[in-house]
Amino acid sequence: MRWKDQFRFIRQNLKKNRVRTWMTIFATAIGCAFLIVLASVGYGLQKSIVKDAMEEQIVTQINVHGIERDEQFKPVTMKDIRYLESVDGVRAVTRRNDLYQIPSFSVDGYRTEASAIATHFPSEKQSGLTLSEGRLPEKDNEVVVGYNFSSYLASEKELDQKDIYDEQGKIKAEYRYDSPLLGKTLAMTVDKEAEEKVETHTISLKVVGILEKPTREWFEDQNVYITQAVLKDIEKFTGTYRGDPSADAVKDGLNEDEQTFDQVKVYATDLESVTAVSNQLEEKDYAIYSVVSEMKQINMFFTIAKAGLILVGTIAVLIASIGIYNTMTMAVTERAPDIGIMKAIGANPKTIKQIFLLESGYIGLMGAALGTGIAYVTSILINTGVPLILSMAFEEELPEGLQFSSIPPGLVAISVAICLIVTILSGLRPAKRATEIDVLQAMRREI
């Protein structure tokens, strides 16, 4: 019997029992849809978390916290910086130092207190640091400020008033500095303790750049990024390390190789180089962190989670296979005379078995196709409805772009394959039984 004739025979038989056939197909579709939707939650959350991490962090960035060697933790020195810059695949090595006091900054009758960070701007330029306005400093008295710095500048006349702050602890618009800050001169005031009194020192700094807006909505950057020369000026005034006003005076300075840094970041030339650079630094006992290593952990977690969800979804398909088994068993019983005629005219038992396996596979394929369509519709409803329900229930807005369900082509292929395998196995026993039917009994309808 040709393949064409076999498929025609299958369609004719399925049409005889349309209700039962379609109920079986629908049960298979529900099982397949459940499998896809359940696993899609793992895919969707993984996609959202990975996307969020990739957008908020530079993927080629490696944070170097220090050196862990002989159960001791040592900070990164200038000698280490030179080594890091020599590593193959490294594009730039940035280094920053924190000022160990919170200075005040004033401009045009407005004032605020903010952290000052001494920054090596040439390496920042090599790393690709971008600004929302202006340029990077080229002179010692030039600075860049964080995107939110100006919103914390309050009128000096109103600083003692408690009502200048709103419910969120931010300065109200009428008391806030609202003029362009680029090109303005900030008066930076630092302190030192001397003979039971506090002395102040004021440094004039010109704002030449404003950093980009932080990617995280809840994070605000109000820091002032000064040059290394300004930090040395402050250390000279206070006579202390990093300008700590209450620390003991430091008389002898460190040589250049012993100079340490609080924040060190290595930037690889491309994403492919991150792993190689990270491995080389770990071999040298550097304590590092990169978004790539985080992605490995996240992907490993979600791989296990998705495998578990697919396994649970497969159980639903197995339950649906019971209906296929019953349908095929009844089909064998009802078609006993046809089977008898086929065997009487010389049909090969292998052909008869093949026909019933094709029929069960046909039901599985139809169910998988219908289930995939149902899964895509359900996925859209989940991504649209769940955020609205959660927002109404908890009265909080969810992060923009959060995706609860995602159906990649690979998941569809896996689900369809599982569905087909299960349905064919379900029809295996009835198909074998069809080959064992006695011709005479079949002709007399005494099965």
Side-chain angles (χ1 to χ4, degrees), residues 96-116:
R96 298 177 179 180
N97 283 321
D98 299 323
L99 181 64
Y100 290 173
Q101 63 169 287
I102 306 297
S104 65
F105 297 89
S106 58
V107 56
D108 298 339
Y110 290 79
R111 181 162 56 88
T112 188
E113 292 184 347
S115 299

Side-chain angles (χ1 to χ4, degrees), residues 37 41 45 378-394 396 398 402-405:
V37 172
V41 174
L45 294 177
T378 305
S379 178
I380 294 172
L381 293 176
I382 289 174
N383 289 326
T384 305
V386 172
L388 294 175
I389 294 172
L390 293 179
S391 298
M392 294 174 61
F394 299 101
E396 290 186 5
L398 295 175
L402 180 61
Q403 193 170 4
F404 286 91
S405 176

Side-chain angles (χ1 to χ4, degrees), residues 186-243:
L186 296 177
M188 175 183 180
T189 303
V190 293
D191 302 329
K192 80 169 182 177
E193 295 181 3
E195 299 179 357
E196 299 182 356
K197 66 177 182 178
V198 177
E199 295 182 5
T200 61
H201 176 53
T202 301
I203 305 172
S204 296
L205 303 171
K206 183 179 179 181
V207 179
V208 297
I210 300 174
L211 291 180
E212 283 190 322
K213 183 179 181 180
T215 53
R216 291 183 183 270
E217 294 182 0
W218 51 265
F219 181 76
E220 293 187 342
D221 184 4
Q222 63 179 104
N223 300 322
V224 176
Y225 299 87
I226 60 177
T227 61
Q228 296 286 344
V230 173
L231 177 61
K232 290 181 180 179
D233 186 15
I234 296 172
E235 289 181 330
K236 183 179 179 181
F237 166 69
T238 60
T240 60
Y241 182 70
R242 299 281 197 273

Side-chain angles (χ1 to χ4, degrees), residues 29-46 302-317 319 371-372 374-380 382-383 403-408 411-412 414-415 418:
I30 295 299
C32 184
F34 180 76
L35 167 59
I36 295 175
V37 172
L38 192 62
S40 73
V41 174
Y43 281 93
L45 294 177
Q46 180 186 18
F302 277 103
T303 298
I304 297 173
K306 288 183 293 186
L309 293 173
I310 290 174
L311 180 61
V312 173
T314 303
I315 295 175
V317 178
I319 294 173
T372 301
I374 294 173
Y376 273 105
V377 174
T378 305
S379 178
I380 294 172
I382 289 174
N383 289 326
Q403 193 170 4
F404 286 91
S405 176
S406 176
I407 305 177
L411 175 59
V412 175
I414 292 172
S415 302
I418 291 174

Side-chain angles (χ1 to χ4, degrees), residues 137-191:
E138 297 173 353
K139 298 179 181 179
D140 293 344
N141 68 328
E142 294 179 340
V143 297
V144 296
V145 297
Y147 183 85
N148 308 103
F149 175 78
S150 61
S151 63
Y152 284 87
L153 284 167
S155 174
E156 293 183 353
K157 298 178 182 179
E158 309 292 342
L159 277 176
D160 295 333
Q161 302 294 328
K162 293 183 179 179
D163 60 351
I164 68 171
Y165 298 97
D166 58 20
E167 296 178 353
Q168 298 178 345
K170 295 183 178 181
I171 299 171
K172 294 180 180 178
E174 57 265 32
Y175 304 114
R176 190 187 310 157
Y177 186 79
D178 59 356
S179 300
L181 195 59
L182 200 64
K184 294 287 185 177
T185 299
L186 296 177
M188 175 183 180
T189 303
V190 293
D191 302 329

